[in-house]
PDB file of all heavy atoms in Angstrom:
ATOM      1  N   ASP H  92     -14.208  -4.196  -8.228  1.00 94.00           N
ATOM      2  CA  ASP H  92     -13.062  -5.088  -8.660  1.00 94.00           C
ATOM      3  C   ASP H  92     -12.145  -5.222  -7.433  1.00 94.00           C
ATOM      4  O   ASP H  92     -11.030  -4.644  -7.352  1.00 94.00           O
ATOM      5  CB  ASP H  92     -12.329  -4.494  -9.867  1.00 94.00           C
ATOM      6  CG  ASP H  92     -11.208  -5.332 -10.413  1.00 94.00           C
ATOM      7  OD1 ASP H  92     -10.905  -6.530  -9.902  1.00 94.00           O
ATOM      8  OD2 ASP H  92     -10.641  -4.978 -11.451  1.00 94.00           O
ATOM      9  N   PRO H  93     -12.522  -6.043  -6.427  1.00 94.00           N
ATOM     10  CA  PRO H  93     -11.721  -6.090  -5.173  1.00 94.00           C
ATOM     11  C   PRO H  93     -10.356  -6.627  -5.343  1.00 94.00           C
ATOM     12  O   PRO H  93      -9.433  -6.206  -4.611  1.00 94.00           O
ATOM     13  CB  PRO H  93     -12.540  -6.939  -4.283  1.00 94.00           C
ATOM     14  CG  PRO H  93     -13.611  -7.521  -5.085  1.00 94.00           C
ATOM     15  CD  PRO H  93     -13.829  -6.748  -6.329  1.00 94.00           C
ATOM     16  N   ASP H  94     -10.097  -7.432  -6.452  1.00 95.00           N
ATOM     17  CA  ASP H  94      -8.746  -7.907  -6.659  1.00 95.00           C
ATOM     18  C   ASP H  94      -7.839  -6.783  -7.005  1.00 95.00           C
ATOM     19  O   ASP H  94      -6.702  -6.751  -6.586  1.00 95.00           O
ATOM     20  CB  ASP H  94      -8.686  -9.014  -7.615  1.00 95.00           C
ATOM     21  CG  ASP H  94      -9.473 -10.315  -7.303  1.00 95.00           C
ATOM     22  OD1 ASP H  94      -9.491 -10.536  -5.919  1.00 95.00           O
ATOM     23  OD2 ASP H  94     -10.008 -11.069  -8.112  1.00 95.00           O
ATOM     24  N   SER H  95      -8.344  -5.929  -7.871  1.00 95.00           N
ATOM     25  CA  SER H  95      -7.515  -4.690  -8.268  1.00 95.00           C
ATOM     26  C   SER H  95      -7.319  -3.817  -7.101  1.00 95.00           C
ATOM     27  O   SER H  95      -6.294  -3.187  -6.882  1.00 95.00           O
ATOM     28  CB  SER H  95      -8.143  -3.894  -9.460  1.00 95.00           C
ATOM     29  OG  SER H  95      -8.032  -4.774 -10.617  1.00 95.00           O
ATOM     30  N   ALA H  96      -8.335  -3.695  -6.284  1.00 96.00           N
ATOM     31  CA  ALA H  96      -8.294  -2.843  -5.058  1.00 96.00           C
ATOM     32  C   ALA H  96      -7.161  -3.403  -4.102  1.00 96.00           C
ATOM     33  O   ALA H  96      -6.359  -2.630  -3.621  1.00 96.00           O
ATOM     34  CB  ALA H  96      -9.555  -2.852  -4.314  1.00 96.00           C
ATOM     35  N   TYR H  97      -7.053  -4.711  -4.045  1.00 97.00           N
ATOM     36  CA  TYR H  97      -6.038  -5.318  -3.186  1.00 97.00           C
ATOM     37  C   TYR H  97      -4.724  -4.985  -3.821  1.00 97.00           C
ATOM     38  O   TYR H  97      -3.803  -4.614  -3.072  1.00 97.00           O
ATOM     39  CB  TYR H  97      -6.197  -6.886  -3.107  1.00 97.00           C
ATOM     40  CG  TYR H  97      -5.203  -7.560  -2.298  1.00 97.00           C
ATOM     41  CD1 TYR H  97      -5.238  -7.697  -1.061  1.00 97.00           C
ATOM     42  CD2 TYR H  97      -4.011  -7.876  -2.984  1.00 97.00           C
ATOM     43  CE1 TYR H  97      -4.267  -8.270  -0.182  1.00 97.00           C
ATOM     44  CE2 TYR H  97      -2.968  -8.516  -2.214  1.00 97.00           C
ATOM     45  CZ  TYR H  97      -3.148  -8.732  -0.801  1.00 97.00           C
ATOM     46  OH  TYR H  97      -2.098  -9.237  -0.066  1.00 97.00           O
ATOM     47  N   TYR H  98      -4.583  -5.189  -5.101  1.00 96.00           N
ATOM     48  CA  TYR H  98      -3.276  -4.773  -5.760  1.00 96.00           C
ATOM     49  C   TYR H  98      -2.856  -3.361  -5.427  1.00 96.00           C
ATOM     50  O   TYR H  98      -1.757  -3.148  -5.068  1.00 96.00           O
ATOM     51  CB  TYR H  98      -3.423  -5.088  -7.206  1.00 96.00           C
ATOM     52  CG  TYR H  98      -2.277  -4.464  -8.060  1.00 96.00           C
ATOM     53  CD1 TYR H  98      -1.075  -5.239  -8.098  1.00 96.00           C
ATOM     54  CD2 TYR H  98      -2.279  -3.346  -8.731  1.00 96.00           C
ATOM     55  CE1 TYR H  98       0.070  -4.726  -8.826  1.00 96.00           C
ATOM     56  CE2 TYR H  98      -1.248  -2.801  -9.357  1.00 96.00           C
ATOM     57  CZ  TYR H  98      -0.090  -3.472  -9.478  1.00 96.00           C
ATOM     58  OH  TYR H  98       0.999  -2.939 -10.205  1.00 96.00           O
ATOM     59  N   PHE H  99      -3.768  -2.393  -5.624  1.00 96.00           N
ATOM     60  CA  PHE H  99      -3.379  -1.099  -5.532  1.00 96.00           C
ATOM     61  C   PHE H  99      -3.095  -0.766  -3.986  1.00 96.00           C
ATOM     62  O   PHE H  99      -2.270   0.031  -3.615  1.00 96.00           O
ATOM     63  CB  PHE H  99      -4.422  -0.091  -6.009  1.00 96.00           C
ATOM     64  CG  PHE H  99      -4.414  -0.082  -7.494  1.00 96.00           C
ATOM     65  CD1 PHE H  99      -5.522  -0.485  -8.232  1.00 96.00           C
ATOM     66  CD2 PHE H  99      -3.301   0.428  -8.164  1.00 96.00           C
ATOM     67  CE1 PHE H  99      -5.584  -0.374  -9.494  1.00 96.00           C
ATOM     68  CE2 PHE H  99      -3.289   0.482  -9.581  1.00 96.00           C
ATOM     69  CZ  PHE H  99      -4.518   0.112 -10.273  1.00 96.00           C
ATOM     70  N   ALA H 100      -3.804  -1.419  -3.080  1.00 97.00           N
ATOM     71  CA  ALA H 100      -3.590  -1.316  -1.623  1.00 97.00           C
ATOM     72  C   ALA H 100      -2.136  -1.865  -1.324  1.00 97.00           C
ATOM     73  O   ALA H 100      -1.525  -1.361  -0.353  1.00 97.00           O
ATOM     74  CB  ALA H 100      -4.694  -1.959  -0.809  1.00 97.00           C
ATOM     75  N   GLN H 101      -1.716  -2.950  -2.021  1.00 97.00           N
ATOM     76  CA  GLN H 101      -0.368  -3.417  -1.686  1.00 97.00           C
ATOM     77  C   GLN H 101       0.634  -2.358  -2.230  1.00 97.00           C
ATOM     78  O   GLN H 101       1.605  -2.173  -1.509  1.00 97.00           O
ATOM     79  CB  GLN H 101      -0.141  -4.745  -2.453  1.00 97.00           C
ATOM     80  CG  GLN H 101       1.205  -5.421  -2.052  1.00 97.00           C
ATOM     81  CD  GLN H 101       1.224  -5.795  -0.669  1.00 97.00           C
ATOM     82  OE1 GLN H 101       0.270  -6.418  -0.151  1.00 97.00           O
ATOM     83  NE2 GLN H 101       2.344  -5.450  -0.002  1.00 97.00           N
ATOM     84  N   LEU H 102       0.311  -1.712  -3.279  1.00 96.00           N
ATOM     85  CA  LEU H 102       1.329  -0.630  -3.801  1.00 96.00           C
ATOM     86  C   LEU H 102       1.302   0.429  -2.687  1.00 96.00           C
ATOM     87  O   LEU H 102       2.406   0.955  -2.349  1.00 96.00           O
ATOM     88  CB  LEU H 102       0.816  -0.008  -5.090  1.00 96.00           C
ATOM     89  CG  LEU H 102       1.011  -0.766  -6.352  1.00 96.00           C
ATOM     90  CD1 LEU H 102       0.420  -0.024  -7.470  1.00 96.00           C
ATOM     91  CD2 LEU H 102       2.353  -1.154  -6.632  1.00 96.00           C
ATOM     92  N   GLN H 103       0.135   0.806  -2.137  1.00 97.00           N
ATOM     93  CA  GLN H 103       0.039   1.761  -1.027  1.00 97.00           C
ATOM     94  C   GLN H 103       0.786   1.348   0.099  1.00 97.00           C
ATOM     95  O   GLN H 103       1.612   2.172   0.692  1.00 97.00           O
ATOM     96  CB  GLN H 103      -1.403   1.987  -0.773  1.00 97.00           C
ATOM     97  CG  GLN H 103      -1.709   3.057   0.277  1.00 97.00           C
ATOM     98  CD  GLN H 103      -3.204   3.057   0.546  1.00 97.00           C
ATOM     99  OE1 GLN H 103      -4.002   2.098   0.285  1.00 97.00           O
ATOM    100  NE2 GLN H 103      -3.688   4.152   1.086  1.00 97.00           N
ATOM    101  N   PHE H 104       0.707   0.090   0.524  1.00 98.00           N
ATOM    102  CA  PHE H 104       1.401  -0.414   1.746  1.00 98.00           C
ATOM    103  C   PHE H 104       2.891  -0.368   1.516  1.00 98.00           C
ATOM    104  O   PHE H 104       3.547   0.112   2.421  1.00 98.00           O
ATOM    105  CB  PHE H 104       0.900  -1.942   1.965  1.00 98.00           C
ATOM    106  CG  PHE H 104       1.660  -2.433   3.165  1.00 98.00           C
ATOM    107  CD1 PHE H 104       1.282  -2.243   4.383  1.00 98.00           C
ATOM    108  CD2 PHE H 104       2.863  -3.195   2.991  1.00 98.00           C
ATOM    109  CE1 PHE H 104       1.969  -2.799   5.569  1.00 98.00           C
ATOM    110  CE2 PHE H 104       3.467  -3.803   4.015  1.00 98.00           C
ATOM    111  CZ  PHE H 104       3.072  -3.548   5.308  1.00 98.00           C
ATOM    112  N   ASP H 105       3.380  -0.883   0.375  1.00 98.00           N
ATOM    113  CA  ASP H 105       4.827  -0.897   0.107  1.00 98.00           C
ATOM    114  C   ASP H 105       5.353   0.516   0.097  1.00 98.00           C
ATOM    115  O   ASP H 105       6.443   0.732   0.657  1.00 98.00           O
ATOM    116  CB  ASP H 105       5.068  -1.646  -1.254  1.00 98.00           C
ATOM    117  CG  ASP H 105       4.733  -3.093  -1.286  1.00 98.00           C
ATOM    118  OD1 ASP H 105       4.613  -3.695  -0.162  1.00 98.00           O
ATOM    119  OD2 ASP H 105       4.592  -3.669  -2.314  1.00 98.00           O
ATOM    120  N   PHE H 106       4.639   1.441  -0.519  1.00 97.00           N
ATOM    121  CA  PHE H 106       5.147   2.861  -0.612  1.00 97.00           C
ATOM    122  C   PHE H 106       5.254   3.448   0.850  1.00 97.00           C
ATOM    123  O   PHE H 106       6.238   4.123   1.212  1.00 97.00           O
ATOM    124  CB  PHE H 106       4.154   3.633  -1.546  1.00 97.00           C
ATOM    125  CG  PHE H 106       4.570   5.053  -1.713  1.00 97.00           C
ATOM    126  CD1 PHE H 106       5.420   5.414  -2.783  1.00 97.00           C
ATOM    127  CD2 PHE H 106       4.010   6.093  -0.917  1.00 97.00           C
ATOM    128  CE1 PHE H 106       5.723   6.700  -2.958  1.00 97.00           C
ATOM    129  CE2 PHE H 106       4.319   7.418  -1.166  1.00 97.00           C
ATOM    130  CZ  PHE H 106       5.179   7.712  -2.153  1.00 97.00           C
ATOM    131  N   ALA H 107       4.161   3.159   1.648  1.00 98.00           N
ATOM    132  CA  ALA H 107       4.156   3.733   2.957  1.00 98.00           C
ATOM    133  C   ALA H 107       5.265   3.028   3.835  1.00 98.00           C
ATOM    134  O   ALA H 107       5.912   3.664   4.668  1.00 98.00           O
ATOM    135  CB  ALA H 107       2.838   3.447   3.632  1.00 98.00           C
ATOM    136  N   LYS H 108       5.556   1.760   3.616  1.00 98.00           N
ATOM    137  CA  LYS H 108       6.423   0.949   4.497  1.00 98.00           C
ATOM    138  C   LYS H 108       7.943   1.540   4.120  1.00 98.00           C
ATOM    139  O   LYS H 108       8.728   1.723   5.004  1.00 98.00           O
ATOM    140  CB  LYS H 108       6.371  -0.458   4.110  1.00 98.00           C
ATOM    141  CG  LYS H 108       7.390  -1.281   5.027  1.00 98.00           C
ATOM    142  CD  LYS H 108       7.214  -2.780   4.828  1.00 98.00           C
ATOM    143  CE  LYS H 108       8.211  -3.510   5.715  1.00 98.00           C
ATOM    144  NZ  LYS H 108       8.037  -4.927   5.538  1.00 98.00           N
ATOM    145  N   GLU H 109       8.173   1.803   2.892  1.00 98.00           N
ATOM    146  CA  GLU H 109       9.479   2.316   2.452  1.00 98.00           C
ATOM    147  C   GLU H 109       9.777   3.668   3.107  1.00 98.00           C
ATOM    148  O   GLU H 109      10.971   4.030   3.398  1.00 98.00           O
ATOM    149  CB  GLU H 109       9.602   2.508   0.976  1.00 98.00           C
ATOM    150  CG  GLU H 109       9.638   1.246   0.180  1.00 98.00           C
ATOM    151  CD  GLU H 109       9.540   1.448  -1.350  1.00 98.00           C
ATOM    152  OE1 GLU H 109       9.411   2.560  -1.763  1.00 98.00           O
ATOM    153  OE2 GLU H 109       9.429   0.422  -2.060  1.00 98.00           O
ATOM    154  N   ARG H 110       8.669   4.379   3.454  1.00 97.00           N
ATOM    155  CA  ARG H 110       8.791   5.683   3.947  1.00 97.00           C
ATOM    156  C   ARG H 110       8.609   5.736   5.517  1.00 97.00           C
ATOM    157  O   ARG H 110       8.638   6.879   6.131  1.00 97.00           O
ATOM    158  CB  ARG H 110       7.992   6.693   3.188  1.00 97.00           C
ATOM    159  CG  ARG H 110       8.459   6.947   1.785  1.00 97.00           C
ATOM    160  CD  ARG H 110       7.417   7.260   0.844  1.00 97.00           C
ATOM    161  NE  ARG H 110       7.988   7.611  -0.470  1.00 97.00           N
ATOM    162  CZ  ARG H 110       8.310   6.678  -1.334  1.00 97.00           C
ATOM    163  NH1 ARG H 110       8.277   5.350  -1.124  1.00 97.00           N
ATOM    164  NH2 ARG H 110       8.856   7.032  -2.568  1.00 97.00           N
ATOM    165  N   GLY H 111       8.316   4.632   6.076  1.00 97.00           N
ATOM    166  CA  GLY H 111       8.024   4.612   7.541  1.00 97.00           C
ATOM    167  C   GLY H 111       6.687   5.249   7.963  1.00 97.00           C
ATOM    168  O   GLY H 111       6.717   5.755   9.111  1.00 97.00           O
ATOM    169  N   LEU H 112       5.770   5.314   7.097  1.00 98.00           N
ATOM    170  CA  LEU H 112       4.509   5.856   7.338  1.00 98.00           C
ATOM    171  C   LEU H 112       3.478   4.871   7.787  1.00 98.00           C
ATOM    172  O   LEU H 112       2.614   4.332   7.118  1.00 98.00           O
ATOM    173  CB  LEU H 112       3.908   6.575   5.986  1.00 98.00           C
ATOM    174  CG  LEU H 112       4.939   7.655   5.457  1.00 98.00           C
ATOM    175  CD1 LEU H 112       4.441   8.145   4.098  1.00 98.00           C
ATOM    176  CD2 LEU H 112       4.959   8.876   6.440  1.00 98.00           C
ATOM    177  N   LYS H 113       3.552   4.635   9.136  1.00 98.00           N
ATOM    178  CA  LYS H 113       2.814   3.448   9.702  1.00 98.00           C
ATOM    179  C   LYS H 113       1.285   3.699   9.595  1.00 98.00           C
ATOM    180  O   LYS H 113       0.522   2.714   9.393  1.00 98.00           O
ATOM    181  CB  LYS H 113       3.246   3.230  11.181  1.00 98.00           C
ATOM    182  CG  LYS H 113       4.696   2.705  11.340  1.00 98.00           C
ATOM    183  CD  LYS H 113       4.976   2.278  12.735  1.00 98.00           C
ATOM    184  CE  LYS H 113       6.389   1.644  12.711  1.00 98.00           C
ATOM    185  NZ  LYS H 113       6.697   1.202  13.984  1.00 98.00           N
ATOM    186  N   LYS H 114       0.829   4.976   9.788  1.00 98.00           N
ATOM    187  CA  LYS H 114      -0.573   5.122   9.740  1.00 98.00           C
ATOM    188  C   LYS H 114      -1.000   4.767   8.372  1.00 98.00           C
ATOM    189  O   LYS H 114      -2.167   4.115   8.229  1.00 98.00           O
ATOM    190  CB  LYS H 114      -0.875   6.673   9.929  1.00 98.00           C
ATOM    191  CG  LYS H 114      -2.277   7.119   9.790  1.00 98.00           C
ATOM    192  CD  LYS H 114      -2.505   8.479  10.093  1.00 98.00           C
ATOM    193  CE  LYS H 114      -3.957   8.876   9.992  1.00 98.00           C
ATOM    194  NZ  LYS H 114      -4.155  10.243  10.395  1.00 98.00           N
ATOM    195  N   TYR H 115      -0.280   4.928   7.314  1.00 98.00           N
ATOM    196  CA  TYR H 115      -0.843   4.559   6.015  1.00 98.00           C
ATOM    197  C   TYR H 115      -0.518   3.141   5.662  1.00 98.00           C
ATOM    198  O   TYR H 115      -1.296   2.535   4.741  1.00 98.00           O
ATOM    199  CB  TYR H 115      -0.157   5.536   4.945  1.00 98.00           C
ATOM    200  CG  TYR H 115      -0.564   7.019   5.226  1.00 98.00           C
ATOM    201  CD1 TYR H 115       0.254   7.863   6.015  1.00 98.00           C
ATOM    202  CD2 TYR H 115      -1.802   7.419   4.851  1.00 98.00           C
ATOM    203  CE1 TYR H 115      -0.083   9.099   6.279  1.00 98.00           C
ATOM    204  CE2 TYR H 115      -2.207   8.720   5.123  1.00 98.00           C
ATOM    205  CZ  TYR H 115      -1.369   9.574   5.885  1.00 98.00           C
ATOM    206  OH  TYR H 115      -1.714  10.835   6.164  1.00 98.00           O
ATOM    207  N   MET H 116       0.371   2.531   6.306  1.00 98.00           N
ATOM    208  CA  MET H 116       0.554   1.085   6.135  1.00 98.00           C
ATOM    209  C   MET H 116      -0.731   0.392   6.715  1.00 98.00           C
ATOM    210  O   MET H 116      -1.379  -0.536   6.117  1.00 98.00           O
ATOM    211  CB  MET H 116       1.742   0.616   6.964  1.00 98.00           C
ATOM    212  CG  MET H 116       3.038   0.933   6.353  1.00 98.00           C
ATOM    213  SD  MET H 116       4.518   0.722   7.456  1.00 98.00           S
ATOM    214  CE  MET H 116       4.394  -1.038   7.811  1.00 98.00           C
TER     215      MET H 116
END
């Protein structure tokens, strides 16, 4: 389900960006 994978990766990106975690972005 790559569309759901994209959605969860966006959550991951937003979370990492809020915390300044560039490696995880």
Side-chain angles (χ1 to χ4, degrees):
D92 188 356
D94 293 336
S95 291
Y97 179 90
Y98 169 80
F99 287 118
Q101 187 63 49
L102 290 178
Q103 181 184 21
F104 178 84
D105 293 341
F106 185 84
K108 185 175 182 180
E109 288 172 7
R110 287 152 178 82
L112 301 170
K113 290 185 178 187
K114 179 177 181 174
Y115 299 97
M116 290 168 56

